[in-house]
Amino acid sequence: MSDTPSQARALAGLGDRIRRLRAAHGLDQADLAERAGLGVALLGNVERGDATPSLDVLAQLATALGVGLSELFTDNKPGPAVMVLRGDEAPTVDTDGMALQVLTPRAVIPGLYAARYRISPSSEGVRPVRHEGHDWLYVLSGQLHVEFDQGTTMLRAGDSVSFSSRVPHRLSALGGEPAEFLAVGATLQTSPRGEA
């Protein structure tokens, strides 16, 4: 699902965009690091391009900045009413046994995102996350283990699950093969007035 040139394209300018988003929110590195539950040194390394962030770190930063994950990968504002994204142009990041291919780098509808994930069976998976909005997952291959506060479920190819993403959830692969799935979600947009 990824190769080095594709990953390099996806990460190009990532640190600068995070720094600009942070500044636009009036946050210094310590503020953003605290909101995202990260160390200040790690955030500094990511902003300088000295560290390749894991998908967990990217998700934490996007949530702390109140933006969709795809907004970390492009400076472009939501695009035209129709946008075609070719497979070899889709930004892809592959770290720690988990790959993410962003399918909506310029969402036609602000707050809507779509991504393709691959979790290796040797990976710890996505640690418990929680954010505003709703998610829908559709398994393409393998077995996906989804943990919620209320319990767990196992999904096979062709199965799907939808849920409020305010419910903490953790994703991992079961069995001896990677779990590949599509994730589509809507992030609730908040105005500056609604911020605490």
Side-chain angles (χ1 to χ4, degrees):
M1 195 164 74
S2 75
D3 56 41
T4 304
S6 176
Q7 183 167 333
R9 280 196 314 272
L11 295 175
L14 176 68
D16 287 337
R17 282 188 292 278
I18 291 170
R19 183 176 27 256
R20 285 196 308 270
L21 285 166
R22 174 176 58 76
H25 283 80
L27 302 171
D28 62 23
Q29 282 187 342
D31 293 332
L32 179 55
E34 182 179 340
R35 280 187 180 191
L38 303 172
V40 177
L42 173 60
L43 177 58
N45 287 335
V46 169
E47 286 190 356
R48 285 189 305 278
D50 294 338
T52 301
S54 69
L55 297 178
D56 284 345
V57 168
L58 290 173
Q60 288 169 257
L61 287 169
T63 299
L65 289 166
V67 300
L69 188 61
S70 62
E71 291 180 58
L72 299 181
F73 292 95
T74 182
D75 288 319
N76 297 319
K77 298 296 180 207
V82 175
M83 190 195 137
V84 174
L85 179 66
R86 304 289 178 204
D88 62 347
E89 297 171 351
T92 304
V93 178
D94 195 341
T95 59
D96 301 329
M98 195 167 17
L100 161 70
Q101 186 177 42
V102 179
L103 303 176
T104 52
R106 288 187 293 157
V108 173
I109 303 170
L112 178 71
Y113 72 89
R116 180 176 178 168
Y117 287 85
R118 184 186 69 236
I119 300 177
S120 160
S122 62
S123 168
E124 292 182 18
V126 178
R127 67 187 186 132
V129 293
R130 181 178 134 166
H131 53 93
E132 290 298 316
H134 295 85
D135 284 337
W136 174 79
L137 309 178
Y138 177 83
V139 179
L140 299 168
S141 65
Q143 297 178 36
L144 181 66
H145 186 245
V146 186
E147 290 180 44
F148 298 103
D149 279 348
Q150 305 91 342
T152 64
T153 189
M154 191 273 294
L155 305 173
R156 292 186 171 91
D159 293 347
S160 65
V161 62
S162 59
F163 53 92
S164 167
S165 46
R166 284 177 270 157
V167 174
H169 49 284
R170 182 178 186 277
L171 311 173
S172 58
L174 284 180
E177 63 183 73
E180 288 199 48
F181 61 97
L182 295 176
V184 177
T187 303
L188 301 178
Q189 301 294 306
T190 57
S191 67
R193 291 175 140 173
E195 292 178 359

